[in-house]
Amino acid sequence: MAIRTALVTGTSRPAGLGFAVARELAGQGYHVVLTARDHSTAEPLADRLRRDGHAATALRLDLSDPVSMHEAADHLTQAFGHLDVLVNNASAMPDFQVLSAMEADMDAVRTALEVTVIGPWALTQAMLPLLTAAPAARIVNVSSLSAQQIATGLDLGAALRAPAYSMAKYMLNALTTVLARDLAHTPILVNAVDPGNTATHPERGDDATDRPAAESARDIVRAATLDADGPTGQLFGNGRPVA
């Protein structure tokens, strides 16, 4: 029986959502590949999973560096020959304090788009041979409630909170739909998940109402382990489709 494999981007922080997703997938029997821009931040987390009895590997993967993406793909090709799950979790919020699109810094916009949209797009291309080699691969793009400011005009108390981040997540949702269409002739399912407000930044003072990372991770893993007749091209929040 082939080893089930899953790659999760943005797994550099013990309290982060990426690590919570990796842990949940590992608990379901996947060999998880934890990736981060700096290998030294992902390796201790992979080691923690191994010490808990799970199969885990850490790789350097920088979403602004195509070379690192192809190196990661080469490693997976040699080690496993396929990839069952790709979770595009890595993100950048370079304008957390900005409250208007008219105040947006274009360098911040470029950073957000590079990490949140262009990076996952390029990574999916790089991993496509591995994904198609799996019996029925799943791609999950981690979205955000912030995108709904643009999609539905949701009022979060400002003209447009974190405009670069919000626009990038909105575009990631659109990319999800496009990739699902392009891969409709394959068994690969592509969906996005809004994990909701999640307690991943204790150093910033998480709100008391934020969900634990492990709880949000389960929604992402549910999309990563859909049955063959599951949906594709959808955005989910709290386990339900979001318009």
Side-chain angles (χ1 to χ4, degrees):
M1 182 176 177
I3 299 171
R4 292 187 299 167
T5 58
L7 185 147
V8 185
T9 67
T11 53
S12 61
R13 304 172 60 253
L17 182 58
F19 182 53
V21 170
R23 181 183 288 280
E24 182 72 17
L25 285 166
Q28 295 194 23
Y30 286 81
H31 185 123
V32 291
V33 180
L34 292 75
T35 71
R37 286 178 298 176
D38 187 341
H39 178 268
S40 66
T41 61
E43 177 57 37
L45 301 183
D47 185 61
R48 183 184 299 189
L49 293 181
R50 290 192 294 265
R51 283 188 277 111
D52 288 342
H54 303 301
T57 301
L59 292 178
R60 175 186 174 272
L61 200 161
D62 185 342
L63 291 177
S64 65
D65 178 13
V67 172
S68 77
M69 298 183 202
H70 289 287
E71 288 177 346
D74 288 344
H75 176 89
L76 293 178
T77 299
Q78 295 176 24
F80 308 109
H82 69 281
L83 179 62
D84 296 283
V85 172
L86 171 61
V87 179
N88 288 308
N89 166 72
S91 188
M93 186 183 282
D95 59 344
F96 180 72
Q97 302 292 336
V98 180
L99 301 179
S100 168
M102 292 297 97
E103 298 174 4
D105 178 84
M106 289 299 107
D107 287 337
V109 173
R110 292 184 186 94
T111 296
L113 294 179
E114 183 73 43
V115 176
T116 306
V117 184
I118 300 172
W121 193 344
L123 182 61
T124 301
Q125 289 181 335
M127 296 293 168
L128 187 57
L130 288 155
L131 292 164
T132 55
R138 304 289 178 257
I139 301 172
V140 183
N141 296 325
V142 179
S143 184
S144 169
L145 178 67
S146 293
Q148 299 304 305
Q149 296 179 99
I150 299 168
T152 66
L154 178 68
D155 183 8
L156 295 184
L160 182 60
R161 172 176 278 179
Y165 174 80
S166 300
M167 183 64 74
K169 288 296 188 180
Y170 175 77
M171 293 176 67
L172 182 65
N173 291 347
L175 177 64
T176 300
T177 302
V178 171
L179 294 178
R181 289 174 184 164
D182 277 0
L183 297 172
H185 65 289
T186 76
I188 301 172
L189 303 181
V190 188
N191 290 288
V193 174
D194 169 14
N197 293 329
T198 305
T200 57
H201 288 280
E203 76 282 357
R204 286 206 312 240
D206 292 319
D207 292 336
T209 56
D210 288 352
R211 303 171 75 190
E215 182 178 333
S216 293
R218 283 192 286 272
D219 283 348
I220 295 168
V221 171
R222 191 176 298 116
T225 55
L226 286 169
D227 291 336
D229 60 352
T232 191
Q234 297 290 310
L235 169 64
F236 292 91
N238 292 318
R240 298 186 297 272
V242 177

